Amino acid sequence: MKCFYHPNESAVGVCKACSKGLCPDCTADLGHGIACKNKHEPRAEDLEFMTIKNIKAFRAVKKFPLSGVLFNGVMGLIFLGFGLFGRAEISWLSTTLGAGFLVFALLALIQSQAVWREK
Ligand SMILES: [Zn+2]
Ligand SMILES: [Zn+2]
């Protein structure tokens, strides 16, 4: 593979952000990978940040697969209760919020099952 910016130079790696080949002159070493020098460092850092966050979120879900279901389910029931039995002027909002939380609870339940299946 050749450097994207210098077709005569051999690439030593690929940019984390755009996956183009880079020669040593065009390489910015970020510690966790390389990026186009003076061009894609911020994007590559963002990608790394997001990857780490996703991994952490995924691990959290794996550790407590039902916490999201419980939280959203309880919140949904509370809001639905307010909506159905509370004062009329806020009931539609509360009912909508409650229904929304219950949908999230359902999604969390589906997601947690997918996590278990993956093991
Ligand atoms: Zn180059
Ligand atoms: Zn790049």
Side-chain angles (χ1 to χ4, degrees), residues 53-116:
K53 270 204 107 158
N54 279 342
I55 292 169
K56 277 187 182 156
F58 184 71
R59 281 202 191 126
V61 169
K62 219 165 184 173
K63 223 172 179 179
F64 308 106
L66 288 175
S67 60
V69 182
L70 280 177
F71 173 77
N72 286 301
V74 168
M75 292 299 276
L77 290 178
I78 289 172
F79 276 109
L80 263 187
F82 269 113
L84 295 176
F85 305 112
R87 292 167 51 175
E89 59 265 37
I90 58 153
S91 64
W92 65 271
L93 180 67
S94 200
T95 308
T96 310
L97 276 173
F101 271 115
L102 287 180
V103 169
F104 275 120
L106 194 67
L107 289 177
L109 185 68
I110 293 167
Q111 197 187 6
S112 67
Q113 304 232 315
V115 171
W116 284 331

Side-chain angles (χ1 to χ4, degrees), residues 5 15 17-19 35-36 40:
Y5 304 97
C15 170
C18 66
S19 300
C36 301
H40 283 147

Side-chain angles (χ1 to χ4, degrees), residues 2-7 9-11 21-27:
K2 297 290 179 190
C3 173
F4 176 74
Y5 304 97
H6 305 99
E9 299 283 338
S10 289
L22 299 172
C23 74
D25 279 349
C26 300
T27 299

Side-chain angles (χ1 to χ4, degrees), residues 7 14 20 32 46 52 60 74 86 91 108-109 112:
V14 293
K20 281 170 181 150
H32 49 73
D46 285 351
I52 287 173
V74 168
S91 64
L109 185 68
S112 67

